């Protein structure tokens, strides 16, 4: 889908609204629900930096890394072959966004105050924010009594909203995996080009470029060499021929089998 300047303009308005509302509630000392994205763990950033070194790139620091450093990294690799690979691994390095009564700011966006305010149709936390704004528009500040009454309710709503979101995402993944397996059931033996999206200790996952379905190539199915898993570089490397399989590589595969009840699609490498 096309993403043009109109989309970007709307996004900027939404981000501005979210910041203004978060600051409004903070200034009035109103307990409110926030969408927070905390700073990534130093050990994960250190592992990510190890991977970057294989491309001749490194972060200035791996301790309390500023979000601006990560933004600059993405600008640095934009348009290069390794862009998608680094983007994918950076997303996996970050902590998951959650709902919270705390307001530590939004690490990824670099905002001091941030809340969801602009999509009440989709999210219950946004509806809570709308109600709080409406309640305190004409009040100077949230009283201690009101704060004491609201705070435990906001904490409960944040915890429940985060849990429900995780549950919904898990169900969505299961349904998607089921539909993909059903879609591929009559395509056993077909050949596709694909992109390696993840490397694990038992093989690597490939996204088929024509149909955007992901399947697994088990390393045990590749018999042309003995492959070693290099975890820090997210790749498999052959001992004899030194052939490698890493995130971002393009491979040609054949659909080997589909297990609908297990929602699994097995792939094998196809000679180019």
């Amino acid at each position: 889908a096309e993403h043009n300047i109109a989309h970007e303009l709307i996004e900027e308005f939404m981000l501005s609204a979210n910041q203004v509302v978060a600051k409004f509630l903070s200034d009035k000392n109103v307990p409110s629900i926030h969408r927070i994205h905390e700073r990534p763990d130093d050990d994960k950033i250190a592992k990510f930096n190890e991977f970057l070194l294989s491309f001749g790139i490194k972060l200035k620091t791996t301790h309390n890394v500023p979000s601006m450093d990560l933004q600059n990294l993405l600008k640095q690799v934009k348009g290069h072959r390794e862009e998608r690979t680094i983007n994918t691994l950076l997303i996996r390095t970050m902590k998951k966004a959650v709902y919270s009564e705390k307001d530590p700011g939004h690490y990824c966006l670099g905002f001091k105050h941030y809340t969801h305010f602009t999509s009440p149709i989709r999210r219950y936390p946004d509806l809570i924010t709308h109600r709080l704004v409406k309640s305190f528009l004409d009040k100077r500040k949230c009283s201690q009594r009101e704060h004491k009454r609201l705070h435990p309710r906001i904490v409960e709503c944040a915890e429940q909203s985060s849990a429900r979101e995780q549950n919904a995402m898990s169900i969505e993944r299961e349904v998607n995996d089921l539909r993909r397996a059903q879609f591929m059931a009559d395509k056993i033996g077909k050949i596709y080009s694909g992109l390696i999206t993840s490397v694990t200790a038992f093989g690597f996952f490939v996204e088929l470029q024509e149909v955007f379905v992901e399947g697994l190539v088990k390393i045990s199915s590749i018999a042309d060499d003995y492959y070693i898993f290099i975890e820090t570089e997210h790749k498999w490397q052959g001992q004899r021929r030194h052939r490698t399989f890493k995130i971002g590589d393009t491979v040609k595969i054949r659909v080997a089998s589909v297990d609908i009840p297990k929602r699994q699609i097995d792939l094998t490498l196809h000679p180019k």
Side-chain angles (χ1 to χ4, degrees):
E2 182 186 3
H3 189 85
N4 57 38
I5 193 170
H7 294 96
E8 292 178 13
L9 189 62
I10 292 167
E11 286 170 3
E12 288 300 321
F13 282 142
M14 291 172 69
L15 292 173
S16 295
N18 289 335
Q19 290 181 84
V20 168
V21 169
K23 189 174 186 307
F24 168 84
L25 293 170
S26 175
D27 290 345
K28 288 183 178 285
N29 195 35
V30 180
S32 55
I33 196 164
H34 299 271
R35 180 71 165 175
I36 66 171
H37 214 148
E38 295 179 293
R39 185 185 300 275
D41 294 330
D42 285 349
D43 58 338
K44 286 193 173 183
I45 286 290
K47 288 180 180 178
F48 176 64
N49 198 44
E50 279 185 50
F51 174 74
L52 291 177
L53 291 173
S54 64
F55 292 101
I57 307 169
K58 69 176 183 177
L59 295 169
K60 293 178 183 177
T61 178
T62 58
H63 178 66
N64 287 336
V65 60
S67 59
M68 187 59 69
D69 285 4
L70 301 180
Q71 293 286 353
N72 289 334
L73 168 67
L74 296 180
K75 289 178 183 176
Q76 184 181 344
V77 300
K78 190 173 178 63
H80 293 267
R81 184 174 179 271
E82 62 269 20
E83 179 184 4
R84 177 164 177 170
T85 306
I86 290 174
N87 265 288
T88 300
L89 286 176
L90 179 56
I91 289 170
R92 293 173 186 170
T93 300
M94 306 303 291
K95 287 187 176 180
K96 291 181 179 178
V98 294
Y99 292 105
S100 174
E101 79 285 359
K102 299 173 184 175
D103 184 19
H106 197 292
Y107 173 78
C108 289
L109 295 172
F111 296 153
K112 187 177 179 181
H113 298 286
Y114 191 79
T115 188
H116 270 314
F117 171 72
T118 50
S119 54
I121 294 170
R122 290 193 299 145
R123 301 185 183 98
Y124 180 61
D126 299 1
L127 185 58
I128 293 173
T129 304
H130 277 250
R131 289 170 175 168
L132 288 171
V133 169
K134 186 177 180 181
S135 297
F136 286 91
L137 270 177
D138 298 325
K139 296 181 182 179
R140 289 189 176 181
K141 213 161 189 179
C142 178
S143 67
Q144 288 299 318
R145 183 179 178 182
E146 285 177 304
H147 193 283
K148 190 175 180 179
R149 177 181 64 85
L150 282 171
H151 186 264
R153 296 173 64 185
I154 294 296
V155 171
E156 184 183 4
C157 286
E159 290 175 351
Q160 186 190 51
S161 295
S162 293
R164 291 301 90 199
E165 180 186 38
Q166 291 299 316
N167 190 47
M169 289 173 65
S170 177
I171 292 169
E172 182 180 351
R173 279 194 297 269
E174 288 185 18
V175 171
N176 284 339
D177 288 344
L178 174 63
R179 291 303 187 197
R180 286 167 181 152
Q182 289 172 335
F183 175 74
M184 296 300 292
D186 62 350
K187 295 172 179 60
I188 294 172
K190 287 196 172 185
I191 311 298
Y192 294 93
S193 289
L195 200 71
I196 297 178
T197 56
S198 179
V199 179
T200 71
F202 49 83
F204 49 88
F205 288 90
V206 177
E207 182 184 86
L208 310 185
Q209 291 178 329
E210 296 171 45
V211 292
F212 301 103
V213 167
E214 196 173 71
L216 171 67
V217 176
K218 294 175 182 174
I219 202 66
S220 58
S221 70
I222 308 175
D224 65 344
D225 203 342
Y226 182 77
Y227 288 88
I228 302 293
F229 179 45
I230 305 175
E231 187 176 4
T232 55
E233 297 181 26
H234 298 267
K235 73 178 181 182
W236 283 94
Q237 181 168 310
Q239 276 194 318
R240 209 163 26 85
R241 300 169 60 193
H242 304 294
R243 185 182 183 184
T244 60
F245 300 102
K246 63 181 184 297
I247 294 177
D249 284 354
T250 302
V251 291
K252 186 159 279 192
I253 60 87
R254 183 180 69 85
V255 181
S257 65
V258 175
D259 189 325
I260 293 177
K262 291 183 179 180
R263 302 182 290 279
Q264 291 179 357
I265 303 168
D266 286 336
L267 312 171
T268 55
L269 283 182
H270 182 75
K272 291 185 179 180

